[in-house]
């Protein structure tokens, strides 16, 4: 719908924010038909000049700023006599001074505004050194100003702060005061070429060339970029690419939608029904299946072959197909204890017995003459001249010879040579994770050693300033993940290497990753796009990220990538999420890298012993166990609940699509045993 999308992350800074790009400053991303340019600006004037340059190019443009375009009901009327935002913008532009060096009078102007209202407020919050008696320093000092705290849209967006707060952590009020004054000037410059949604257009798509809209970048997870704000404007511009005319229609359920449009405004793309777990529109979330397909295609086996004694091969992965070196059994032998003879040579009556006995597979007895019988025991090789064995329970011997109660069928009670395996038969395929039973077969088929893959070395690194060793004295969070992941790895047959712990520091993290003497690395923590999430950022800057936004719960954030030739799984910090993602993503990949066949567990279909409803768009993995023929799930889905992991004996996998499960419905259950984790 738009050729050019501009997403601006605004700032109310009172001084230039310096020549070096930094966070909490102005960042703007311009996306022209999918090609993005992202810039940092030390001043508002510089940012607005740059934006003007883009607007002059004449494209159909969606221009978004991340501050409120209106105030709660009643504010505009009190100041301008009209219940509309745009006259208020002009009113503010006349009173807010904002210099090219960011110097501005917003606190003084806010005090002037407060004086127009009864009581104390509505604005509050100011630097301690400013002597502004009618701008209270705290929220609680306000009283009787008579205005609502929030706009309608701010009751819907999780985490939105009221506009009245001008200072201190997270305040957004100052940005709107200086921002709306700036937008008033921008509108004056662009005239009819620009329309403000929804203040000017109502709940319809703006038809003017430039659509000016309010945006809220934290609706979308930031793109990976060295600075979070930078990632946020990139992600926002990308998300806005998917805008459809629907986004501009009334957000529903609002009783006074017209007044909201005119006076308060709305944040583009916010829907009132959205829960904090709803995936915002405009983002491509990688499905679990897509992520697994990438891993499968990206990380083949590169492990060398080696020959190991067959007795040490259990748990190792076969490097080449194995064929039988000899038949099993190597020779025809007796299946029971009894009497052996040649069936065709039997005559009715007493059978003469030859001296001696055939006792074992290895003793070669003399040939047995036609019409004669020999004492034979289970497993003994049939002597020449013997093709049939009579059970000893069916026989009696006296001085005359052998008496049989019944004549057995030809070949009875014998095992032919090679009835199990013939020499040269294929017995075990390459890629097999050898089990004790496979070792048995290989030995029976004549093998003393087997060709296996060298063990994969996999490192485990914990990140986070707060992490302390197990058992160490608090404060701190005990490192659950590293010992947990190391023990998971050893069950998967790889060499688990403890890479220790690094603080939230990119240089320490880089050094630890570079130095790791391993083929693959599991890290935990620091994988989202917060300020302390260095892993994802470092991976984006110096490694390669294959997938990052994976539609799975628990599991975000999860970074799958490459660090200088090593597979890297940037697991979430939460132990439950780390466990789940390691089991679902790292396990099949590490097994494949180790030389095994790609092995995703095949779920059992079992009746649910629980009820549950989920939305469309992401896989959900529940901690579960099987009791009395039904699958029960852990009471809490919170990903901090390590007790649920220990309680569980498997996972329930709910599909990506929305679903509603009632007790008795069949669900997919994966026992931990099938993940090598029982
Ligand atoms: P992060 O992904 O780094 O933001 O971490 C998310 C949460 O997981 C935070 O509460 C961390 O304290 C916690 N966490 C991170 N690493 C570990 C660990 N190794 N063991 C236990 N908890 C952790
Ligand atoms: Mg952390």
């Amino acid at each position: 719908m738009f050729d050019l999308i501009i997403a601006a992350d605004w700032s109310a800074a009172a001084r230039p924010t310096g020549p070096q790009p930094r966070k909490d400053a102005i960042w703007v991303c311009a996306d022209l038909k999918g090609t993005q340019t992202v810039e940092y600006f030390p001043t508002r004037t510089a940012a607005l000049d740059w934006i003007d340059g883009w607007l002059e190019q004449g494209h159909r443009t969606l221009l978004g700023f991340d501050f409120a375009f209106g105030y709660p009901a009643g504010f505009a009327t009190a100041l301008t006599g009209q219940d509309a935002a745009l006259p208020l913008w002009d009113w503010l532009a006349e009173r807010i001074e904002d210099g090219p060096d960011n110097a501005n009078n917003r606190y003084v102007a806010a005090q002037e505004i407060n004086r127009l209202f009864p009581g104390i407020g509505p604005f509050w919050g100011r630097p301690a050194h400013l002597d502004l008696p009618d701008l209270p320093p705290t929220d609680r000092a306000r009283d009787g100003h008579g205005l609502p705290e929030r706009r309608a849209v701010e009751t819907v967006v999780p985490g939105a702060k009221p506009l009245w707060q001008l200072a201190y952590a997270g305040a957004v009020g100052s940005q709107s005061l200086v921002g709306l004054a700036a937008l008033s000037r921008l509108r004056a410059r662009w005239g009819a070429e620009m329309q403000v949604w929804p203040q000017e257009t109502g709940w319809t798509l703006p038809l003017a060339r430039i659509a000016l809209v309010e945006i809220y970048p934290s609706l979308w997870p930031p793109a990976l970029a060295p600075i979070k704000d930078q990632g946020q404007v990139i992600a926002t511009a990308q998300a806005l690419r998917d805008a459809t005319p629907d986004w501009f229609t009334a957000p529903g359920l609002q009783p006074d939608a017209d007044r909201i449009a005119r006076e308060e405004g709305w944040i583009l793309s916010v829907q009132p029904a959205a829960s904090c777990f709803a995936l915002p529109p405009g983002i491509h979330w990688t499905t679990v299946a897509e992520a697994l397909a990438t891993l499968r295609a990206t990380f083949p086996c590169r492990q060398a072959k080696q020959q190991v004694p067959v007795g040490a091969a259990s748990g190792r992965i076969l490097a080449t197909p194995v064929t039988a070196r000899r038949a099993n059994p190597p020779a025809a032998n007796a299946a029971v204890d009894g009497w052996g003879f040649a069936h065709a040579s039997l005559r009715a009556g007493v059978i003469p017995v030859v001296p001696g006995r055939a006792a074992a597979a290895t003793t070669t007895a003399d040939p047995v003459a036609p019409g004669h019988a020999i004492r034979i025991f289970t497993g003994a090789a049939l002597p020449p001249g013997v093709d049939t064995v009579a059970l000893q329970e069916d026989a009696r011997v006296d001085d005359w010879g052998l008496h049989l109660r019944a004549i057995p069928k030809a070949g009875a009670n014998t095992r032919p040579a090679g009835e199990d395996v013939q020499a040269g038969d294929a017995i075990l395929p390459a890629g097999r994770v050898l089990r004790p039973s496979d070792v048995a077969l290989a030995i029976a088929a004549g093998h003393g050693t087997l060709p296996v893959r060298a063990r994969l070395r996999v490192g485990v690194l914990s990140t986070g300033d707060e992490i302390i060793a197990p058992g160490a004295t608090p404060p701190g969070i005990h490192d659950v993940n590293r010992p947990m992941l190391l023990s998971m790895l050893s069950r998967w047959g790889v060499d688990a290497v403890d890479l220790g712990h690094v603080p939230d520091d990119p240089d320490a993290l880089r050094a630890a990753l570079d130095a790791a003497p391993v083929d693959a690395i599991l890290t935990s923590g620091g994988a989202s796009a917060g300020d302390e999430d260095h892993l994802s950022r470092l991976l984006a800057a110096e490694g390669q990220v294959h997938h990052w936004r994976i539609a799975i719960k628990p599991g975000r954030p999860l970074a799958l990538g490459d660090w200088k030739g090593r597979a890297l799984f940037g697991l979430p910090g939460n132990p439950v999420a780390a466990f789940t993602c390691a089991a679902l993503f790292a396990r099949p990949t590490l097994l494949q890298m180790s030389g095994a066949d790609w092995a995703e567990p095949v779920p059992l279909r079992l009746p649910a012993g629980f009820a549950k409803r989920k939305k469309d768009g992401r896989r959900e993995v529940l901690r579960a166990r099987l009791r009395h023929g039904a699958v029960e799930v852990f009471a809490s889905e919170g990903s901090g609940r390590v007790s649920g992991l220990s309680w569980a004996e498997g996972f329930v996998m709910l599909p990506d699509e929305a679903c509603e499960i009632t007790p008795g419905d069949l669900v997919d259950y994966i026992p931990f045993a099938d993940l090598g984790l029982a």
Side-chain angles (χ1 to χ4, degrees), residues 185-203:
R185 294 172 197 128
L186 194 70
R187 284 189 72 222
R189 173 155 157 59
W190 290 99
E193 278 188 87
M194 178 179 278
Q195 273 180 322
V196 187
W197 175 88
Q199 284 85 345
E200 214 173 340
T201 59
W203 300 107

Side-chain angles (χ1 to χ4, degrees), residues 619-657:
R619 183 77 54 94
E620 289 191 19
V621 186
L622 308 179
R623 269 81 70 209
R625 62 187 193 184
L626 189 56
R627 286 292 181 278
H628 314 298
V631 177
E632 52 183 44
V633 295
F634 190 61
S636 162
E637 289 180 24
S639 67
R641 300 289 195 98
V642 184
S643 60
L645 268 190
S646 174
W647 174 93
E649 293 163 8
F651 288 134
V652 160
M653 302 282 270
L654 299 180
D656 297 354
E657 302 75 39

Side-chain angles (χ1 to χ4, degrees), residues 178-549:
V178 293
L180 294 180
L183 292 191
S184 165
R185 294 172 197 128
L186 194 70
R187 284 189 72 222
R189 173 155 157 59
W190 290 99
E193 278 188 87
M194 178 179 278
Q195 273 180 322
V196 187
W197 175 88
Q199 284 85 345
E200 214 173 340
T201 59
W203 300 107
T204 59
L205 176 69
L207 296 176
R209 179 174 70 83
I210 304 166
L212 181 57
V213 299
E214 179 180 341
I215 57 175
Y216 195 79
S218 0
L219 287 179
W220 295 284
L224 292 175
I227 293 170
K228 184 178 171 188
D229 311 50
Q230 183 181 7
Q232 279 195 321
V233 290
I234 294 172
T236 306
Q238 246 160 25
L240 295 178
R241 278 250 144 264
D242 289 353
T244 59
D246 277 359
W247 288 30
F248 297 84
T249 58
L253 304 176
Q254 303 297 326
D256 49 355
D258 289 347
R259 187 197 56 78
I260 288 174
R262 192 172 59 242
E263 182 177 2
E264 295 190 359
W266 197 262
I267 295 166
L268 190 63
S269 93
V270 167
Q271 287 298 316
S275 85
C276 60
F277 279 127
L279 302 177
I283 293 190
H284 176 71
W285 289 87
T286 303
T287 63
V288 171
E290 278 176 280
L292 288 170
T294 307
L295 290 170
R296 184 174 187 174
T298 310
F299 298 111
C301 172
R302 299 218 169 77
Q303 296 306 104
K305 296 174 191 172
Q306 53 183 218
Q307 204 71 22
V308 294
V310 67
S314 190
R316 303 297 298 270
I317 294 166
L318 210 52
T320 54
V322 168
T323 55
R325 296 183 62 203
R326 63 184 297 201
N328 182 51
N333 61 74
V336 297
D337 293 344
W339 298 87
F341 42 81
H343 189 266
S345 69
L346 275 198
R347 278 166 284 109
V350 183
I351 306 163
V353 170
V354 300
R357 46 210 254 155
T362 46
T363 45
T364 36
D366 291 334
V368 176
H372 288 67
I374 185 171
R375 183 79 171 114
I376 193 165
F377 296 102
T378 307
L382 301 184
V386 173
D387 61 13
T388 303
V389 176
L391 270 178
Q392 72 183 19
E393 291 82 349
D394 292 338
R396 182 173 56 82
V397 186
D398 58 19
D399 291 347
W400 304 101
L402 177 69
H403 306 258
L404 292 182
R405 198 172 303 152
I407 305 287
K409 282 197 214 131
N413 301 319
T414 64
R415 306 178 186 126
E419 76 163 358
D420 181 22
V421 171
Q422 304 271 5
D425 278 356
I427 53 169
L428 293 166
R432 176 106 162 175
V433 183
L434 293 168
R435 303 167 304 157
S437 47
D438 299 325
V439 168
L441 173 58
I443 295 171
H447 292 275
T449 62
L450 286 175
V452 298
R453 295 283 177 181
R455 277 189 204 274
L456 194 73
R457 284 160 312 156
V458 185
V460 179
L461 182 71
S462 288
T463 74
D465 292 341
E466 76 281 25
I467 302 302
I468 57 174
T473 312
I477 299 294
H478 287 120
D479 190 348
V480 172
N481 292 342
R482 189 154 43 108
M484 173 185 80
L485 293 167
L486 286 166
S487 93
M488 291 168 84
L489 288 174
S490 49
R491 283 167 182 247
W492 297 335
V494 302
D495 265 343
V497 180
D498 188 345
L499 300 179
H501 158 244
V502 291
D504 285 315
D505 167 52
D507 294 327
L509 184 56
R510 180 191 299 106
L513 295 178
D514 281 347
V518 295
D519 309 300
I521 302 174
L522 308 185
T523 65
S524 69
S528 79
D531 292 333
E532 296 305 334
D533 294 318
H534 302 292
L535 188 272
S536 42
R537 216 161 279 143
L538 198 62
L539 199 57
E542 298 175 33
Q544 207 188 340
V545 182
H546 297 304
H547 282 303
W548 184 52
R549 289 184 185 132

